[in-house]
Amino acid sequence: MLAERRGLLIILSSPSGAGKSTLARRLMEWDPSLSFSISATTRTPRPGETDGKEYHFLGVDAFKKMVANGEMLEHAHVFGNFYGSPVGPVREAIEAGRDVLFDVDWQGAQQIRTSELGGHTLSIFILPPSITELRRRLISRGQDAPEVISKRMQKSWDEISHWDSYDYVLINEDLEATFERLVSIVKAERMRRPQQPRLRDHVRALQSEFEEEGEA
Ligand code: ADP
Ligand code: 5GP
């Protein structure tokens, strides 16, 4: 039995600090049926992060083994650590008609778009209103040491320079307004023709009905 609709792979990217985790969290609250792709990473957990919740925290060898076994939909080296999206849970969710939300960088977005599941991606890039505000948000988040913040700011331009590979780009000035625009995009994209596997059968039924009427 085909699911009512096919799940979307929703990719959110942004320079660190622009607000994508906040928006991802809000989106999960808005629709709890969304499944978040929990990435694997070799970075150390931040205070408050739990293994299996925000990330699967792995050693470098375990990470490399998953890549070698073809268990990652995509993977990349970011800020000196490895990050990757395990493919198993993604396949399961989208076949069951559930969307999967990804918080990945531009390299991950590019690999997901060109993967076997690429036809079902929706990619959204979040821009900050200004670089000053980006720095302010990174500092106010209070989770990173000054040298880490400076590294993240240096990487920001590299990330921003890929803005035009995304389907949608949102400037996250006012959080509520950005969230509303994000929800509108997701609602519309869920109705895209490739996301509706039952349409073909419906049109066939219409055709039979049409032909029967013609014969009567
Ligand atoms: P990212 O996941 O992109 O690194 P976060 O979602 O962690 O960024 O946001 C960084 C900081 O900025 C957090 O403290 C968050 O609460 C704050 N923030 C997010 N969006 C806005 C916004 N529109 N206005 C002001 N602060 C914001
Ligand atoms: P953080 O360490 O702040 O959680 O994430 C750092 C960066 O890594 C962010 O830009 C985030 O989007 C990216 N990232 C997180 N998980 C993945 C992943 O699975 N794959 C890729 N390519 N990037 C990821």
PDB file of all heavy atoms in Angstrom, residues 130-137 153:
ATOM      1  N   SER A 130      22.694  40.599   9.423  1.00  0.00           N
ATOM      2  CA  SER A 130      24.002  41.252   9.249  1.00  0.00           C
ATOM      3  C   SER A 130      25.073  40.393   9.905  1.00  0.00           C
ATOM      4  O   SER A 130      24.754  39.499  10.708  1.00  0.00           O
ATOM      5  CB  SER A 130      24.008  42.645   9.901  1.00  0.00           C
ATOM      6  OG  SER A 130      23.906  42.492  11.318  1.00  0.00           O
ATOM      7  N   ILE A 131      26.325  40.690   9.596  1.00  0.00           N
ATOM      8  CA  ILE A 131      27.434  39.933  10.192  1.00  0.00           C
ATOM      9  C   ILE A 131      27.569  40.307  11.675  1.00  0.00           C
ATOM     10  O   ILE A 131      27.859  39.465  12.528  1.00  0.00           O
ATOM     11  CB  ILE A 131      28.755  40.209   9.419  1.00  0.00           C
ATOM     12  CG1 ILE A 131      28.614  39.739   7.957  1.00  0.00           C
ATOM     13  CG2 ILE A 131      29.957  39.555  10.098  1.00  0.00           C
ATOM     14  CD1 ILE A 131      28.331  38.260   7.757  1.00  0.00           C
ATOM     15  N   THR A 132      27.301  41.574  11.985  1.00  0.00           N
ATOM     16  CA  THR A 132      27.360  42.020  13.390  1.00  0.00           C
ATOM     17  C   THR A 132      26.359  41.219  14.220  1.00  0.00           C
ATOM     18  O   THR A 132      26.671  40.749  15.314  1.00  0.00           O
ATOM     19  CB  THR A 132      27.010  43.528  13.478  1.00  0.00           C
ATOM     20  OG1 THR A 132      27.842  44.214  12.568  1.00  0.00           O
ATOM     21  CG2 THR A 132      27.181  44.079  14.870  1.00  0.00           C
ATOM     22  N   GLU A 133      25.150  41.047  13.668  1.00  0.00           N
ATOM     23  CA  GLU A 133      24.112  40.312  14.397  1.00  0.00           C
ATOM     24  C   GLU A 133      24.480  38.816  14.490  1.00  0.00           C
ATOM     25  O   GLU A 133      24.224  38.182  15.505  1.00  0.00           O
ATOM     26  CB  GLU A 133      22.749  40.517  13.703  1.00  0.00           C
ATOM     27  CG  GLU A 133      21.593  39.698  14.251  1.00  0.00           C
ATOM     28  CD  GLU A 133      21.220  39.984  15.712  1.00  0.00           C
ATOM     29  OE1 GLU A 133      21.730  40.935  16.317  1.00  0.00           O
ATOM     30  OE2 GLU A 133      20.408  39.191  16.257  1.00  0.00           O
ATOM     31  N   LEU A 134      25.113  38.294  13.448  1.00  0.00           N
ATOM     32  CA  LEU A 134      25.535  36.884  13.480  1.00  0.00           C
ATOM     33  C   LEU A 134      26.514  36.661  14.644  1.00  0.00           C
ATOM     34  O   LEU A 134      26.363  35.724  15.436  1.00  0.00           O
ATOM     35  CB  LEU A 134      26.200  36.515  12.142  1.00  0.00           C
ATOM     36  CG  LEU A 134      26.637  35.065  11.976  1.00  0.00           C
ATOM     37  CD1 LEU A 134      25.424  34.148  11.935  1.00  0.00           C
ATOM     38  CD2 LEU A 134      27.457  34.880  10.689  1.00  0.00           C
ATOM     39  N   ARG A 135      27.475  37.580  14.764  1.00  0.00           N
ATOM     40  CA  ARG A 135      28.470  37.464  15.842  1.00  0.00           C
ATOM     41  C   ARG A 135      27.769  37.585  17.203  1.00  0.00           C
ATOM     42  O   ARG A 135      28.026  36.819  18.114  1.00  0.00           O
ATOM     43  CB  ARG A 135      29.555  38.528  15.681  1.00  0.00           C
ATOM     44  CG  ARG A 135      30.693  38.355  16.688  1.00  0.00           C
ATOM     45  CD  ARG A 135      31.831  39.341  16.505  1.00  0.00           C
ATOM     46  NE  ARG A 135      32.643  39.075  15.322  1.00  0.00           N
ATOM     47  CZ  ARG A 135      32.640  39.835  14.229  1.00  0.00           C
ATOM     48  NH1 ARG A 135      31.873  40.911  14.170  1.00  0.00           N
ATOM     49  NH2 ARG A 135      33.394  39.532  13.195  1.00  0.00           N
ATOM     50  N   ARG A 136      26.842  38.545  17.272  1.00  0.00           N
ATOM     51  CA  ARG A 136      26.123  38.761  18.543  1.00  0.00           C
ATOM     52  C   ARG A 136      25.374  37.489  18.959  1.00  0.00           C
ATOM     53  O   ARG A 136      25.407  37.075  20.109  1.00  0.00           O
ATOM     54  CB  ARG A 136      25.147  39.932  18.397  1.00  0.00           C
ATOM     55  CG  ARG A 136      24.566  40.422  19.726  1.00  0.00           C
ATOM     56  CD  ARG A 136      23.293  41.234  19.572  1.00  0.00           C
ATOM     57  NE  ARG A 136      22.159  40.465  19.056  1.00  0.00           N
ATOM     58  CZ  ARG A 136      21.447  39.593  19.749  1.00  0.00           C
ATOM     59  NH1 ARG A 136      21.719  39.377  21.022  1.00  0.00           N
ATOM     60  NH2 ARG A 136      20.450  38.917  19.199  1.00  0.00           N
ATOM     61  N   ARG A 137      24.729  36.836  17.976  1.00  0.00           N
ATOM     62  CA  ARG A 137      23.968  35.621  18.302  1.00  0.00           C
ATOM     63  C   ARG A 137      24.879  34.481  18.738  1.00  0.00           C
ATOM     64  O   ARG A 137      24.560  33.743  19.667  1.00  0.00           O
ATOM     65  CB  ARG A 137      23.132  35.185  17.088  1.00  0.00           C
ATOM     66  CG  ARG A 137      21.949  36.097  16.871  1.00  0.00           C
ATOM     67  CD  ARG A 137      21.068  35.617  15.735  1.00  0.00           C
ATOM     68  NE  ARG A 137      20.134  36.667  15.348  1.00  0.00           N
ATOM     69  CZ  ARG A 137      19.367  36.631  14.270  1.00  0.00           C
ATOM     70  NH1 ARG A 137      19.410  35.588  13.463  1.00  0.00           N
ATOM     71  NH2 ARG A 137      18.555  37.615  13.994  1.00  0.00           N
ATOM     72  N   MET A 153      33.087  32.150  12.832  1.00  0.00           N
ATOM     73  CA  MET A 153      32.882  33.372  12.044  1.00  0.00           C
ATOM     74  C   MET A 153      33.708  33.320  10.753  1.00  0.00           C
ATOM     75  O   MET A 153      33.241  33.727   9.704  1.00  0.00           O
ATOM     76  CB  MET A 153      33.272  34.617  12.862  1.00  0.00           C
ATOM     77  CG  MET A 153      32.285  35.001  13.940  1.00  0.00           C
ATOM     78  SD  MET A 153      30.610  35.350  13.363  1.00  0.00           S
ATOM     79  CE  MET A 153      30.866  36.777  12.326  1.00  0.00           C
TER      80      MET A 153
END
